[in-house]
Coordinates of all heavy atoms in Angstrom, one line a residue:
M1 N 0.8 -1.2 0.0 CA 0.0 0.0 0.0 C 0.9 1.3 0.0 O 0.6 2.2 -0.7 CB -0.9 0.0 1.2 CG -1.8 1.2 1.4 SD -3.1 1.6 0.3 CE -4.2 0.3 0.5
K2 N 2.0 1.3 0.8 CA 2.9 2.4 0.8 C 3.4 2.8 -0.6 O 3.4 4.0 -1.0 CB 4.0 2.2 1.8 CG 3.7 2.2 3.2 CD 5.0 2.0 4.0 CE 4.7 1.7 5.4 NZ 5.9 1.5 6.2
R3 N 3.8 1.8 -1.3 CA 4.4 2.0 -2.6 C 3.3 2.6 -3.6 O 3.6 3.5 -4.3 CB 4.9 0.7 -3.2 CG 5.5 0.9 -4.6 CD 6.1 -0.3 -5.2 NE 7.4 -0.3 -4.5 CZ 8.2 -1.4 -4.6 NH1 7.9 -2.4 -5.3 NH2 9.4 -1.3 -4.0
E4 N 2.1 2.0 -3.5 CA 1.0 2.5 -4.4 C 0.7 4.0 -4.0 O 0.5 4.8 -4.9 CB -0.2 1.6 -4.2 CG -1.3 2.0 -5.1 CD -2.5 1.1 -4.9 OE1 -2.5 0.2 -4.0 OE2 -3.5 1.4 -5.6
L5 N 0.6 4.3 -2.7 CA 0.3 5.7 -2.4 C 1.5 6.6 -2.7 O 1.2 7.8 -3.2 CB 0.0 5.8 -0.9 CG -1.3 5.1 -0.4 CD1 -1.4 5.1 1.1 CD2 -2.5 5.7 -1.1
A6 N 2.7 6.2 -2.6 CA 3.8 7.0 -3.0 C 3.8 7.3 -4.5 O 4.1 8.4 -4.9 CB 5.1 6.3 -2.6
E7 N 3.4 6.3 -5.3 CA 3.3 6.5 -6.7 C 2.2 7.5 -7.1 O 2.4 8.3 -8.0 CB 3.1 5.2 -7.4 CG 4.3 4.3 -7.4 CD 4.1 2.9 -7.9 OE1 2.9 2.6 -8.3 OE2 5.0 2.0 -7.9
L8 N 1.1 7.4 -6.3 CA 0.0 8.4 -6.6 C 0.5 9.8 -6.3 O 0.2 10.7 -7.0 CB -1.2 8.0 -5.8 CG -2.0 6.7 -6.3 CD1 -3.0 6.3 -5.2 CD2 -2.6 7.0 -7.6
V9 N 1.1 9.9 -5.1 CA 1.6 11.3 -4.7 C 2.7 11.8 -5.8 O 2.7 12.9 -6.1 CB 2.2 11.3 -3.3 CG1 2.9 12.6 -3.0 CG2 1.1 11.0 -2.3
A10 N 3.5 10.9 -6.2 CA 4.5 11.2 -7.2 C 3.9 11.7 -8.5 O 4.4 12.7 -9.1 CB 5.4 10.0 -7.5
R11 N 2.7 11.2 -8.9 CA 2.0 11.6 -10.1 C 1.6 13.1 -9.9 O 1.6 13.9 -10.8 CB 0.8 10.7 -10.4 CG 1.2 9.4 -11.0 CD 0.0 8.5 -11.2 NE -1.1 9.2 -11.8 CZ -2.4 8.9 -11.6 NH1 -2.7 8.0 -10.8 NH2 -3.4 9.6 -12.2
W12 N 1.1 13.4 -8.7 CA 0.7 14.8 -8.3 C 1.9 15.7 -8.4 O 1.7 16.8 -9.0 CB 0.1 14.8 -6.9 CG -1.4 14.4 -6.9 CD1 -1.8 13.1 -7.1 CD2 -2.5 15.2 -6.6 NE1 -3.2 13.1 -6.9 CE2 -3.6 14.4 -6.6 CE3 -2.6 16.6 -6.3 CZ2 -4.9 14.9 -6.4 CZ3 -3.9 17.1 -6.1 CH2 -5.0 16.2 -6.1
L13 N 3.0 15.3 -7.9 CA 4.2 16.2 -7.9 C 4.7 16.3 -9.3 O 5.1 17.4 -9.7 CB 5.2 15.6 -6.9 CG 4.8 15.5 -5.5 CD1 5.9 14.9 -4.7 CD2 4.4 16.9 -4.9
D14 N 4.7 15.3 -10.1 CA 5.1 15.4 -11.5 C 4.3 16.3 -12.3 O 4.7 16.9 -13.3 CB 5.2 14.0 -12.1 CG 6.3 13.1 -11.5 OD1 7.2 13.6 -10.9 OD2 6.2 11.9 -11.7
A15 N 3.0 16.4 -11.9 CA 2.0 17.2 -12.7 C 2.2 18.7 -12.3 O 1.5 19.6 -12.9 CB 0.6 16.8 -12.4
G16 N 3.1 19.0 -11.3 CA 3.3 20.4 -10.9 C 2.7 20.8 -9.6 O 2.8 22.0 -9.3
H17 N 2.0 19.9 -8.9 CA 1.5 20.3 -7.6 C 2.6 20.3 -6.6 O 3.5 19.5 -6.6 CB 0.4 19.3 -7.2 CG -0.8 19.3 -8.1 ND1 -1.8 20.3 -8.0 CD2 -1.2 18.5 -9.2 CE1 -2.7 20.1 -9.0 NE2 -2.4 19.0 -9.7
S18 N 2.4 21.1 -5.5 CA 3.3 21.1 -4.4 C 2.9 20.1 -3.4 O 1.7 19.7 -3.4 CB 3.4 22.5 -3.8 OG 2.2 22.8 -3.1
P19 N 3.8 19.7 -2.5 CA 3.3 18.9 -1.4 C 2.2 19.5 -0.6 O 1.3 18.8 -0.1 CB 4.6 18.7 -0.5 CG 5.7 18.9 -1.5 CD 5.2 19.9 -2.4
A20 N 2.2 20.8 -0.4 CA 1.1 21.5 0.3 C -0.2 21.3 -0.5 O -1.3 21.2 0.1 CB 1.4 23.0 0.5
D21 N -0.2 21.3 -1.8 CA -1.4 21.1 -2.6 C -2.0 19.7 -2.4 O -3.2 19.6 -2.2 CB -1.1 21.2 -4.1 CG -0.7 22.6 -4.6 OD1 -1.1 23.6 -3.9 OD2 0.0 22.7 -5.6
V22 N -1.1 18.7 -2.3 CA -1.6 17.4 -2.1 C -2.2 17.3 -0.7 O -3.3 16.7 -0.5 CB -0.4 16.4 -2.2 CG1 -0.9 14.9 -1.9 CG2 0.2 16.4 -3.6
Q23 N -1.5 17.8 0.3 CA -2.0 17.8 1.7 C -3.4 18.5 1.8 O -4.3 18.0 2.4 CB -1.1 18.5 2.6 CG -1.5 18.5 4.1 CD -0.5 19.2 5.0 OE1 0.3 19.9 4.6 NE2 -0.7 18.9 6.3
E24 N -3.5 19.7 1.1 CA -4.8 20.4 1.2 C -5.9 19.6 0.5 O -7.0 19.5 1.0 CB -4.6 21.7 0.4 CG -5.8 22.6 0.5 CD -5.6 23.9 -0.3 OE1 -4.5 24.5 -0.1 OE2 -6.5 24.4 -1.0
H25 N -5.6 18.9 -0.6 CA -6.6 18.1 -1.3 C -7.1 17.0 -0.4 O -8.3 16.7 -0.3 CB -6.0 17.6 -2.6 CG -7.0 16.7 -3.4 ND1 -8.0 17.2 -4.1 CD2 -7.0 15.4 -3.5 CE1 -8.7 16.2 -4.6 NE2 -8.1 15.0 -4.3
V26 N -6.1 16.3 0.2 CA -6.5 15.2 1.1 C -7.3 15.7 2.3 O -8.3 15.1 2.6 CB -5.2 14.4 1.6 CG1 -5.5 13.4 2.7 CG2 -4.5 13.7 0.4
L27 N -6.9 16.7 2.9 CA -7.6 17.3 4.1 C -9.1 17.7 3.7 O -10.0 17.4 4.4 CB -6.9 18.4 4.7 CG -5.6 18.1 5.4 CD1 -4.9 19.3 5.9 CD2 -5.9 17.1 6.6
R28 N -9.2 18.2 2.5 CA -10.6 18.6 2.0 C -11.5 17.4 1.8 O -12.7 17.4 1.9 CB -10.5 19.4 0.7 CG -10.4 20.9 0.9 CD -10.7 21.6 -0.4 NE -10.2 21.0 -1.6 CZ -9.1 21.3 -2.3 NH1 -8.3 22.3 -1.8 NH2 -8.7 20.7 -3.4
G29 N -10.8 16.2 1.5 CA -11.6 15.0 1.2 C -11.9 14.2 2.4 O -12.7 13.2 2.3
L30 N -11.4 14.5 3.6 CA -11.6 13.8 4.8 C -13.0 14.1 5.3 O -13.5 15.2 5.2 CB -10.6 14.1 5.9 CG -9.2 13.7 5.6 CD1 -8.3 14.2 6.7 CD2 -9.0 12.2 5.4
P31 N -13.7 13.1 5.9 CA -15.0 13.3 6.4 C -15.0 14.3 7.6 O -14.1 14.2 8.4 CB -15.5 12.0 6.9 CG -14.3 11.1 7.0 CD -13.3 11.7 6.1
S32 N -15.9 15.3 7.5 CA -15.9 16.3 8.6 C -17.0 16.1 9.6 O -17.2 16.9 10.5 CB -16.0 17.7 8.0 OG -17.2 17.8 7.2
D33 N -17.8 15.0 9.4 CA -19.0 14.8 10.3 C -18.7 13.8 11.4 O -19.6 13.3 12.0 CB -20.2 14.4 9.4 CG -19.9 13.1 8.7 OD1 -18.8 12.5 8.8 OD2 -20.8 12.6 8.0
G34 N -17.4 13.5 11.6 CA -17.1 12.6 12.7 C -17.1 11.1 12.2 O -16.9 10.2 13.1
T35 N -17.3 10.8 11.0 CA -17.4 9.5 10.5 C -16.0 8.8 10.7 O -15.0 9.4 10.4 CB -17.7 9.5 8.9 OG1 -18.9 10.1 8.7 CG2 -17.7 8.1 8.4
V36 N -16.0 7.6 11.2 CA -14.8 6.9 11.4 C -14.3 6.3 10.1 O -15.1 5.7 9.3 CB -15.0 5.7 12.4 CG1 -13.7 4.9 12.6 CG2 -15.4 6.3 13.7
V37 N -13.0 6.5 9.8 CA -12.4 6.0 8.5 C -11.8 4.6 8.9 O -10.8 4.5 9.6 CB -11.4 6.9 8.0 CG1 -10.7 6.3 6.7 CG2 -12.0 8.3 7.7
H38 N -12.4 3.6 8.4 CA -11.9 2.2 8.7 C -10.7 1.8 7.8 O -9.9 0.9 8.2 CB -13.0 1.2 8.5 CG -14.1 1.4 9.6 ND1 -14.0 1.1 10.9 CD2 -15.4 2.0 9.4 CE1 -15.1 1.4 11.5 NE2 -15.9 1.9 10.7
R39 N -10.6 2.3 6.6 CA -9.5 2.0 5.7 C -8.9 3.3 5.2 O -9.2 3.7 4.0 CB -10.1 1.2 4.5 CG -10.6 -0.2 5.0 CD -11.1 -1.0 3.8 NE -11.6 -2.2 4.3 CZ -11.6 -3.3 3.6 NH1 -11.2 -3.3 2.4 NH2 -12.1 -4.4 4.1
P40 N -8.0 3.9 6.0 CA -7.4 5.2 5.6 C -6.6 5.1 4.3 O -6.6 6.0 3.5 CB -6.6 5.5 6.8 CG -6.4 4.3 7.6 CD -7.6 3.4 7.3
G41 N -5.9 3.9 4.1 CA -5.2 3.8 2.8 C -6.1 3.8 1.6 O -5.8 4.4 0.6
G42 N -7.2 3.1 1.7 CA -8.2 3.1 0.6 C -8.8 4.5 0.4 O -9.0 4.9 -0.8
L43 N -9.0 5.2 1.4 CA -9.5 6.6 1.3 C -8.5 7.5 0.6 O -8.8 8.2 -0.4 CB -9.9 7.2 2.6 CG -10.4 8.7 2.6 CD1 -11.6 8.8 1.7 CD2 -10.7 9.2 4.0
L44 N -7.2 7.3 1.0 CA -6.1 8.1 0.3 C -6.0 7.7 -1.2 O -5.9 8.6 -2.0 CB -4.8 7.9 1.0 CG -4.6 8.7 2.3 CD1 -3.3 8.3 3.0 CD2 -4.6 10.1 2.0
R45 N -6.1 6.4 -1.4 CA -6.0 6.0 -2.8 C -7.1 6.6 -3.6 O -6.9 7.1 -4.8 CB -6.0 4.4 -2.9 CG -6.0 3.9 -4.3 CD -5.9 2.4 -4.3 NE -6.8 1.8 -3.4 CZ -6.5 0.7 -2.7 NH1 -5.4 0.1 -2.8 NH2 -7.4 0.2 -1.9
Y46 N -8.3 6.6 -3.1 CA -9.5 7.2 -3.8 C -9.3 8.7 -4.0 O -9.6 9.2 -5.1 CB -10.7 6.9 -2.9 CG -12.0 7.6 -3.4 CD1 -12.6 7.1 -4.5 CD2 -12.4 8.8 -2.8 CE1 -13.8 7.8 -5.0 CE2 -13.5 9.4 -3.3 CZ -14.2 8.9 -4.4 OH -15.3 9.6 -4.9
L47 N -8.8 9.4 -3.0 CA -8.6 10.8 -3.1 C -7.5 11.2 -4.1 O -7.6 12.3 -4.7 CB -8.3 11.4 -1.7 CG -9.5 11.4 -0.7 CD1 -9.0 11.9 0.7 CD2 -10.7 12.2 -1.2
L48 N -6.5 10.4 -4.2 CA -5.3 10.8 -5.0 C -5.4 10.2 -6.4 O -4.5 10.4 -7.2 CB -4.1 10.3 -4.3 CG -3.8 11.0 -3.0 CD1 -2.6 10.4 -2.3 CD2 -3.6 12.5 -3.1
R49 N -6.4 9.4 -6.7 CA -6.4 8.6 -8.0 C -6.4 9.6 -9.2 O -5.8 9.3 -10.2 CB -7.5 7.6 -8.1 CG -8.8 8.2 -8.2 CD -9.9 7.1 -8.4 NE -11.1 7.8 -8.8 CZ -12.1 8.1 -8.1 NH1 -12.2 7.6 -6.8 NH2 -13.2 8.7 -8.5
D50 N -7.2 10.6 -9.2 CA -7.3 11.6 -10.3 C -6.4 12.8 -10.0 O -6.6 13.4 -8.9 CB -8.8 12.0 -10.5 CG -9.6 10.8 -10.9 OD1 -9.2 9.9 -11.6 OD2 -10.8 10.8 -10.4
V51 N -5.6 13.1 -10.9 CA -4.7 14.3 -10.7 C -5.2 15.4 -11.5 O -5.2 15.4 -12.8 CB -3.2 13.9 -11.2 CG1 -2.3 15.1 -11.0 CG2 -2.7 12.7 -10.5
P52 N -5.7 16.5 -10.9 CA -6.2 17.7 -11.6 C -5.0 18.5 -12.1 O -3.9 18.4 -11.7 CB -7.0 18.4 -10.6 CG -6.4 18.1 -9.3 CD -5.9 16.6 -9.5
A53 N -5.3 19.3 -13.1 CA -4.3 20.2 -13.6 C -4.0 21.2 -12.5 O -4.9 21.7 -11.8 CB -4.7 21.0 -14.8
P54 N -2.7 21.6 -12.3 CA -2.4 22.5 -11.2 C -3.0 23.9 -11.5 O -3.1 24.3 -12.6 CB -0.9 22.6 -11.2 CG -0.4 22.0 -12.5 CD -1.5 21.1 -13.0
V55 N -3.4 24.6 -10.5 CA -3.9 25.9 -10.6 C -2.8 26.9 -10.7 O -1.8 26.9 -10.0 CB -4.7 26.3 -9.3 CG1 -5.2 27.7 -9.4 CG2 -5.9 25.3 -9.1
A56 N -2.9 27.7 -11.8 CA -1.8 28.7 -12.0 C -1.8 29.7 -10.8 O -2.9 30.3 -10.5 CB -2.0 29.4 -13.3
R57 N -0.7 29.9 -10.2 CA -0.6 30.9 -9.1 C -0.1 32.2 -9.7 O 0.8 32.3 -10.4 CB 0.3 30.4 -8.1 CG 0.0 29.0 -7.5 CD 0.5 28.9 -6.2 NE 0.5 27.6 -5.6 CZ -0.6 26.8 -5.4 NH1 -1.7 27.2 -5.8 NH2 -0.5 25.7 -4.8
V58 N -0.8 33.3 -9.3 CA -0.4 34.6 -9.7 C 0.7 35.1 -8.7 O 0.5 35.1 -7.5 CB -1.6 35.6 -9.6 CG1 -1.2 37.0 -9.9 CG2 -2.7 35.1 -10.5
P59 N 1.8 35.4 -9.2 CA 2.9 35.8 -8.3 C 2.6 37.1 -7.5 O 2.0 38.0 -8.1 CB 4.1 36.0 -9.2 CG 3.6 36.1 -10.6 CD 2.2 35.5 -10.6
R60 N 2.9 37.1 -6.3 CA 2.7 38.2 -5.4 C 3.7 39.3 -5.8 O 4.9 39.0 -5.9 CB 2.8 37.8 -4.0 CG 2.6 38.9 -3.0 CD 2.4 38.4 -1.6 NE 2.5 39.4 -0.6 CZ 1.7 40.4 -0.3 NH1 0.7 40.6 -1.1 NH2 2.0 41.2 0.6
P61 N 3.3 40.5 -5.9 CA 4.3 41.6 -6.2 C 5.3 41.7 -5.1 O 4.9 41.4 -3.9 CB 3.4 42.8 -6.4 CG 2.1 42.5 -5.8 CD 1.9 41.1 -5.8
P62 N 6.5 42.2 -5.4 CA 7.5 42.4 -4.4 C 6.9 43.4 -3.3 O 6.1 44.3 -3.6 CB 8.6 43.1 -5.1 CG 8.4 42.8 -6.5 CD 6.9 42.6 -6.7
S63 N 7.4 43.1 -2.1 CA 6.9 43.9 -0.9 C 7.2 45.4 -1.1 O 6.5 46.2 -0.5 CB 7.4 43.4 0.4 OG 8.8 43.5 0.3
R64 N 8.2 45.8 -1.9 CA 8.5 47.2 -2.0 C 7.4 47.9 -2.8 O 7.3 49.2 -2.8 CB 9.8 47.4 -2.7 CG 9.9 46.9 -4.1 CD 11.3 47.0 -4.7 NE 11.4 46.2 -5.9 CZ 11.2 46.8 -7.1 NH1 10.8 48.0 -7.2 NH2 11.3 46.0 -8.2
L65 N 6.5 47.2 -3.5 CA 5.4 47.8 -4.2 C 4.1 47.8 -3.3 O 3.1 48.4 -3.8 CB 5.1 47.0 -5.5 CG 6.2 47.0 -6.5 CD1 5.8 46.3 -7.7 CD2 6.6 48.5 -6.9
D66 N 4.1 47.2 -2.2 CA 2.9 47.2 -1.3 C 2.6 48.7 -1.0 O 3.4 49.5 -0.7 CB 3.2 46.5 0.0 CG 3.2 45.0 -0.1 OD1 2.8 44.5 -1.2 OD2 3.7 44.3 0.8
G67 N 1.3 49.0 -1.1 CA 0.8 50.3 -0.8 C 0.9 51.2 -2.0 O 0.5 52.4 -1.9
T68 N 1.4 50.8 -3.1 CA 1.4 51.7 -4.3 C 0.1 51.5 -5.1 O -0.6 50.5 -5.0 CB 2.6 51.4 -5.2 OG1 2.5 50.0 -5.7 CG2 3.9 51.6 -4.5
R69 N -0.1 52.5 -5.9 CA -1.3 52.5 -6.8 C -0.9 53.0 -8.1 O 0.0 53.9 -8.3 CB -2.4 53.4 -6.1 CG -3.7 53.6 -6.8 CD -4.6 54.5 -6.1 NE -4.9 53.9 -4.8 CZ -5.6 54.6 -3.8 NH1 -5.9 55.9 -4.0 NH2 -5.9 54.0 -2.7
E70 N -1.6 52.6 -9.2 CA -1.4 53.1 -10.5 C -2.1 54.4 -10.7 O -3.2 54.6 -10.4 CB -1.8 52.1 -11.6 CG -1.5 52.6 -13.0 CD -1.8 51.5 -14.0 OE1 -2.1 50.4 -13.7 OE2 -1.8 51.9 -15.2
C71 N -1.3 55.4 -11.2 CA -1.9 56.7 -11.5 C -2.9 56.6 -12.6 O -2.7 56.0 -13.6 CB -0.8 57.7 -11.9 SG -1.4 59.4 -12.2
L72 N -4.1 57.2 -12.4 CA -5.1 57.1 -13.4 C -5.0 58.2 -14.5 O -5.8 58.3 -15.4 CB -6.5 57.2 -12.8 CG -6.9 56.0 -11.8 CD1 -8.3 56.2 -11.3 CD2 -6.8 54.7 -12.6
G73 N -4.0 59.1 -14.3 CA -3.7 60.1 -15.4 C -3.2 59.4 -16.6 O -2.9 58.3 -16.7
V74 N -3.1 60.2 -17.7 CA -2.6 59.8 -19.0 C -1.1 59.8 -18.9 O -0.4 60.8 -18.7 CB -3.1 60.7 -20.1 CG1 -2.5 60.2 -21.4 CG2 -4.6 60.7 -20.1
H75 N -0.5 58.6 -19.1 CA 1.0 58.4 -19.1 C 1.4 57.5 -20.3 O 0.6 56.8 -20.8 CB 1.4 57.6 -17.8 CG 1.2 58.4 -16.5 ND1 2.1 59.4 -16.1 CD2 0.2 58.4 -15.6 CE1 1.7 59.9 -15.0 NE2 0.5 59.3 -14.7
T76 N 2.6 57.7 -20.7 CA 3.1 56.8 -21.8 C 3.2 55.4 -21.3 O 2.9 54.4 -22.1 CB 4.6 57.3 -22.2 OG1 4.5 58.6 -22.5 CG2 5.1 56.4 -23.3
Q77 N 3.5 55.1 -20.1 CA 3.5 53.8 -19.5 C 2.9 53.9 -18.1 O 2.8 55.0 -17.5 CB 4.9 53.2 -19.5 CG 5.9 53.9 -18.6 CD 7.3 53.3 -18.7 OE1 7.5 52.6 -19.7 NE2 8.1 53.5 -17.7
A78 N 2.5 52.8 -17.5 CA 2.0 52.8 -16.2 C 2.9 53.5 -15.2 O 4.1 53.2 -15.2 CB 1.7 51.4 -15.7
T79 N 2.3 54.3 -14.3 CA 3.1 55.0 -13.3 C 2.5 54.7 -12.0 O 1.3 54.9 -11.7 CB 3.1 56.5 -13.6 OG1 3.6 56.8 -14.9 CG2 3.9 57.3 -12.5
L80 N 3.4 54.2 -11.1 CA 2.9 53.8 -9.8 C 3.3 55.0 -8.8 O 4.3 55.7 -9.0 CB 3.6 52.6 -9.3 CG 3.3 51.3 -10.0 CD1 4.1 50.1 -9.5 CD2 1.8 51.0 -10.0
F81 N 2.5 55.2 -7.8 CA 2.8 56.2 -6.8 C 2.2 55.6 -5.5 O 1.4 54.7 -5.4 CB 2.2 57.5 -7.1 CG 0.7 57.7 -7.0 CD1 0.2 58.3 -5.9 CD2 -0.1 57.1 -7.9 CE1 -1.2 58.5 -5.8 CE2 -1.5 57.2 -7.8 CZ -2.0 57.9 -6.8
R82 N 2.7 56.2 -4.4 CA 2.3 55.8 -3.0 C 1.4 56.9 -2.5 O 1.8 58.0 -2.1 CB 3.5 55.6 -2.1 CG 3.2 54.8 -0.9 CD 4.5 54.4 -0.2 NE 5.5 53.8 -1.0 CZ 5.5 52.5 -1.3 NH1 4.6 51.7 -0.9 NH2 6.5 52.0 -2.0
P83 N 0.1 56.6 -2.5 CA -0.9 57.7 -2.1 C -0.8 58.0 -0.6 O -0.5 57.1 0.2 CB -2.2 57.1 -2.5 CG -2.1 55.7 -2.5 CD -0.6 55.4 -2.9
V84 N -1.1 59.2 -0.3 CA -1.2 59.6 1.1 C -2.6 59.3 1.6 O -2.7 58.9 2.8 CB -0.8 61.1 1.2 CG1 -1.0 61.6 2.7 CG2 0.5 61.4 0.7
G85 N -3.6 59.5 0.8 CA -5.0 59.3 1.2 C -5.6 58.4 0.1 O -5.1 57.3 -0.2
D86 N -6.8 58.9 -0.4 CA -7.5 58.1 -1.4 C -7.3 58.6 -2.8 O -8.2 58.4 -3.7 CB -8.9 57.9 -1.0 CG -9.7 59.2 -0.9 OD1 -9.0 60.3 -1.0 OD2 -10.9 59.2 -0.8
E87 N -6.3 59.5 -3.0 CA -6.1 60.1 -4.3 C -5.8 59.0 -5.4 O -5.3 57.9 -5.1 CB -5.1 61.1 -4.3 CG -3.7 60.6 -4.1 CD -3.3 60.7 -2.6 OE1 -4.2 60.7 -1.7 OE2 -2.1 60.7 -2.3
T88 N -6.2 59.3 -6.6 CA -6.0 58.4 -7.8 C -5.0 58.9 -8.8 O -4.7 58.2 -9.7 CB -7.4 58.1 -8.5 OG1 -7.9 59.3 -8.9 CG2 -8.3 57.3 -7.5
L89 N -4.6 60.2 -8.6 CA -3.6 60.8 -9.5 C -2.3 61.0 -8.8 O -2.3 61.4 -7.6 CB -4.2 62.1 -10.1 CG -5.4 62.0 -10.9 CD1 -5.9 63.4 -11.3 CD2 -5.2 61.2 -12.2
C90 N -1.2 60.7 -9.5 CA 0.1 60.9 -8.9 C 0.4 62.4 -8.7 O -0.3 63.3 -9.3 CB 1.2 60.2 -9.7 SG 1.2 60.8 -11.5
G91 N 1.4 62.8 -8.0 CA 1.8 64.1 -7.7 C 2.0 65.0 -9.0 O 1.6 66.1 -9.1
E92 N 2.6 64.4 -10.0 CA 2.9 65.1 -11.3 C 1.5 65.5 -11.9 O 1.4 66.6 -12.5 CB 3.7 64.2 -12.3 CG 5.1 64.0 -11.8 CD 5.8 63.0 -12.8 OE1 5.2 62.5 -13.7 OE2 7.0 62.8 -12.6
R93 N 0.6 64.6 -11.9 CA -0.7 65.0 -12.6 C -1.5 66.0 -11.8 O -2.2 66.8 -12.3 CB -1.6 63.7 -12.7 CG -1.0 62.7 -13.7 CD -1.0 63.3 -15.1 NE -0.2 62.5 -16.0 CZ 0.2 62.9 -17.1 NH1 -0.2 64.0 -17.6 NH2 0.9 62.1 -17.9
L94 N -1.4 65.9 -10.4 CA -2.1 66.8 -9.6 C -1.5 68.3 -9.8 O -2.2 69.2 -9.7 CB -2.0 66.4 -8.1 CG -2.9 65.2 -7.7 CD1 -2.5 64.8 -6.3 CD2 -4.3 65.5 -7.9
A95 N -0.2 68.4 -9.9 CA 0.5 69.6 -10.1 C 0.3 70.2 -11.5 O 0.7 71.3 -11.8 CB 2.0 69.5 -9.7
G96 N -0.1 69.4 -12.4 CA -0.3 69.8 -13.8 C 1.0 69.9 -14.6 O 1.0 70.6 -15.6
R97 N 2.0 69.3 -14.1 CA 3.3 69.4 -14.7 C 3.5 68.6 -16.0 O 4.3 68.8 -16.8 CB 4.4 69.1 -13.8 CG 4.6 70.2 -12.7 CD 5.7 69.9 -11.8 NE 5.3 68.8 -10.9 CZ 6.1 68.2 -10.1 NH1 7.3 68.6 -10.0 NH2 5.6 67.3 -9.3
V98 N 2.7 67.5 -16.1 CA 2.9 66.6 -17.2 C 1.7 66.5 -18.1 O 0.6 66.6 -17.6 CB 3.3 65.2 -16.7 CG1 3.5 64.2 -17.9 CG2 4.6 65.3 -15.9

């Protein structure tokens, strides 16, 4: 049973899932109503038999960009600024310089 379960997990990892993805999938599949699992290996085999396509993760922007906002003014390229309040225009647009 160990070898079979290891092969199933290996298929998940080969498909691009992380160990945390596998763990989360298994935990979601466990009974939450207090039902006793008499054959845990069989349940794991059932839960791991189908390997879904991995979910594309959107990379988190670097922390140095936290708190920045894109200026809604007309720019040649996107311009980020760090607002003081709820303003939507960067300092250059507010001053009318550009």
